[in-house]
Every structure is written in structure tokens, then in C-alpha cells.
Amino acid sequence: MIEILMCTYNGEKYIEKQLDSIRLQTRQADKLSIYDDISTDNTVAVINDYIKKYNLTDKWSVTINSQNKGWRKNFFDAIFASCGDIIFFSDQDDIWELDKIEVMSSVMEANENILKLNSKFTFIDQNDDFIKTDKEITTPTKELVQEPFLDTFSVKWSNRLACATAISKKLIDMLKGLPYNSSFSHDWFFENIATALDASFLIDYYSIKHRLHNSNASIDVSHNALFTADYANYIWLVFNDYFENVNENYMAQAKRFLKFATIKKKVNTKFALISWFKLAFYPKYYKRYARGLFLDLLATLHLYDLIKNLRDKMVK
């Protein structure tokens, strides 16, 4: 069974195009489960009218949350309420390639070792026009490669979006009972877990046109020291309490990441100059090493907020 999970909130502007690209797939999903986070616009009405217009009530459903959860928890709850063997994630404003389900599901069905399948994607703007980036767009070969375990954990996952991936129910079943953590998104989380189990793969295929606009929900993520510490503790919890077959080297890397995150949190919340010197031994956990280390120094000297306030005043 193939199930699509879509979480919506005030998405009336673009959602019909996304629904079109799902309805017109060359291989149909068995179920589309939409969870609306109490939209204040006409999103739900647009969805219901669309379902009625195309007589999709037997496979498509929309549920309105009893309270606003935020997009992270909305997806988290949807994942653990799902019943599909293969789960696709859908944003409300993208446009899928019409053979996305056919291509990706056939690969997963042919290889039971795949717990998470990533695909490539392109970007479009509010007018559906292609956005050029520094990523080279190549002719897709549909070649399948295994994703390496990324020992930097919370760094450099920007090229793996949940809306361009599919996961196996087996991965969800492994995590039943996992406590919810609001700090990070399901795409980062499942990528870390799947690679730790040597079960994440990438297909050389562009599955979606991912829309960028000022209302994208994921742009509100703040990757500060508290986030990093929270993330490291959560990954360590999962590795220790929910799995028995994580590679010893991966466990060691998770432990090292947790140590770094603990030191970074201390440096950013207290005057801890000696601890700051220790951060110099963890360069790979910084997206930009010198800049990140310098900002941590300002933080432990309580100068970061002062400089930021002065800069803001100068801008005004």
C-alpha cells in the first residue's frame, strides 16, 4: 500500500496545482491523507471541493486538527498514524513530476533494504518559473546509490528534503513510542536514522519542483547551540534505546557529536572560555568553522548580543 501524507496550513494559493500533480500520477497512491493545521484561509474548502469534483472520497481524506500543532508536529503525528507500506511526504505548494510514485515505489519494492529513498529536486518560484541555483541540473539516469553515514549529523542536510523522499513502514515501526521533539524536522531526523542503519539511498531522478516563496514553513528553523544540544541528545536517545544494530563506529560518532553539542551549549549559556578552546577540536560540526568558532567566542564573552544590538541600531 502506498500512502501520501500532506500537511496543510493556509495553502489555498498553490495547493490545487499540487493536488493536480498527485491526481495525475502514472501510478496512483492507494491513499492521500491530508492533515490541516486549522487554516484560516480557504485551504480546506479548496481541498474538499477538489475531492468532490474528481470523486476521490474513496482514497483521499482531509482531517482538521483539533488544535494548531505547527508543521513539525503535524507531520510527526501524521507519520505515526500512517498505514502505508511506502510513505511519501507532500508539501502543499510543490509540483510533483507525474511519474514520481511509479519511479520511486518500484525501486523500493525491488529492494527491501531501502528504508528511505531520496531523490533530487529543482526549484520554482511563485510563478512556477525555474530558479537557477549553484547545483548542476543533469540528465537523470535513475542510478541508485547508497547514502553514506553523515557524521556531522545536523549539518549539511539541506540537499535532502522530505517532500522529495519516501520511507518504508518498517522504519516507522522501529520508532513506535518515540517521544516527540519539536526542535527539528522529519527529513533531518529520518535521514540520520536511515543512514545509521545503512538503509538510505539516493536515486538520480528529479521527483519534484520545490516551490520557494516568503511563506515557506521550513525557513523558521534556528540552528543555535540549544538546538544542536537538543538534536544531539535526541539522536543519542534513539541510537541507544530504539535500535540494537547500529554500527559501533556510528555510535562512537553520535557520542562525539553529543560531547561537542554539550560543550557548545555551555559556551553559549555561560562564561566558559576554557570550554570554548575545546570546541576547536570539533571543526566538522561547523558549517563555517572559523566564523562559527568566533561567534561562540563572542557568546561566551557575552559580546554577541551587544554587537548585534549595536549593528541593528546602526542599520536603523
Side-chain angles (χ1 to χ4, degrees):
M1 177 182 177
I2 298 172
E3 182 176 7
I4 303 169
L5 302 179
M6 176 188 289
C7 291
T8 60
Y9 180 73
N10 290 353
E12 64 175 351
K13 186 174 181 179
Y14 303 110
I15 195 167
E16 192 163 351
K17 290 182 178 180
Q18 174 67 314
L19 295 177
D20 280 341
S21 70
I22 292 174
R23 177 177 61 85
L24 297 173
Q25 287 289 304
T26 56
R27 177 176 177 180
Q28 290 291 304
D30 298 288
K31 186 177 178 65
L32 169 61
S33 301
I34 304 172
Y35 295 88
D36 185 78
D37 208 19
I38 315 183
S39 292
T40 57
D41 66 358
N42 294 316
T43 298
V44 174
V46 171
I47 296 171
N48 283 329
D49 288 346
Y50 193 96
I51 291 174
K52 182 178 180 181
K53 178 180 179 180
Y54 293 103
N55 193 26
L56 299 167
T57 54
D58 58 333
K59 291 185 176 181
W60 292 24
S61 65
V62 55
T63 301
I64 302 175
N65 296 336
S66 59
Q67 60 183 17
N68 183 272
K69 299 178 179 182
W71 66 273
R72 293 180 185 84
K73 192 172 194 306
N74 202 9
F75 265 114
F76 185 92
D77 289 347
I79 289 167
F80 288 101
S82 63
C83 54
D85 299 303
I86 297 175
I87 306 295
F88 287 88
F89 303 110
S90 172
D91 287 353
Q92 63 186 7
D93 44 15
D94 295 335
I95 298 177
W96 284 14
E97 297 298 335
L98 297 185
D99 61 350
K100 173 181 177 176
I101 293 177
E102 179 181 359
V103 170
M104 296 181 68
S105 61
S106 62
V107 169
M108 294 187 72
E109 289 167 343
N111 190 337
E112 62 180 16
N113 294 323
I114 299 177
L115 295 183
K116 184 173 188 286
L117 181 62
N118 300 306
S119 67
K120 297 180 177 181
F121 50 89
T122 56
F123 293 104
I124 56 174
D125 62 17
Q126 300 179 57
N127 300 312
D128 298 352
D129 293 326
F130 173 73
I131 298 175
K132 187 175 182 179
T133 67
D134 57 358
K135 295 181 181 179
E136 182 184 5
I137 306 300
T138 58
T139 302
T141 64
K142 297 182 181 176
E143 179 184 2
L144 190 68
V145 295
Q146 184 173 344
E147 298 271 43
F149 176 70
L150 185 59
D151 58 8
T152 51
F153 294 96
S154 65
V155 180
K156 298 180 181 176
W157 279 131
S158 59
N159 61 339
R160 297 291 175 264
L161 298 178
C163 53
T165 68
I167 64 173
S168 168
K169 185 177 186 294
K170 291 183 287 186
L171 182 57
I172 299 173
D173 289 343
M174 292 177 186
L175 297 166
K176 291 289 187 181
L178 182 71
Y180 171 66
N181 187 301
S182 63
S183 294
F184 45 88
S185 59
H186 53 295
D187 44 7
W188 277 27
F189 174 65
F190 280 110
E191 185 66 9
N192 273 292
I193 300 306
T195 56
L197 297 172
D198 295 320
S200 179
F201 290 76
L202 171 67
I203 183 172
D204 184 15
Y205 161 75
Y206 297 88
S207 70
I208 68 168
K209 299 179 180 72
H210 182 55
R211 192 183 304 277
L212 296 181
H213 54 87
N214 294 333
S215 301
N216 284 109
S218 58
I219 62 177
D220 65 352
V221 179
S222 177
H223 299 165
N224 56 27
L226 297 180
F227 167 89
T228 302
D230 201 24
Y231 193 84
N233 275 286
Y234 200 53
I235 291 295
W236 183 247
L237 166 72
V238 174
F239 279 21
N240 275 277
D241 294 353
Y242 286 84
F243 297 122
E244 298 178 354
N245 55 338
V246 175
N247 183 293
E248 289 185 4
N249 177 54
Y250 301 166
M251 291 289 291
Q253 293 295 336
K255 188 174 183 179
R256 179 174 172 80
F257 178 55
L258 177 59
K259 187 175 181 180
F260 159 77
T262 302
I263 297 172
K264 183 177 175 68
K265 179 179 179 181
K266 182 179 180 180
V267 166
N268 279 261
T269 55
K270 300 178 181 179
F271 177 74
L273 194 57
I274 295 177
S275 294
W276 176 79
F277 280 107
K278 295 179 181 179
L279 290 177
F281 295 97
Y282 299 90
K284 71 180 179 182
Y285 298 128
Y286 288 98
K287 187 171 291 187
R288 285 178 286 178
Y289 176 52
R291 181 178 183 275
L293 202 59
F294 177 68
L295 291 177
D296 283 335
L297 176 61
L298 293 181
T300 203
L301 295 176
H302 304 293
L303 294 175
Y304 180 80
D305 289 337
L306 176 63
I307 293 175
K308 183 177 182 299
N309 290 335
L310 288 173
R311 185 188 63 188
D312 292 342
K313 289 180 180 178
M314 292 175 66
V315 171
K316 292 179 181 179

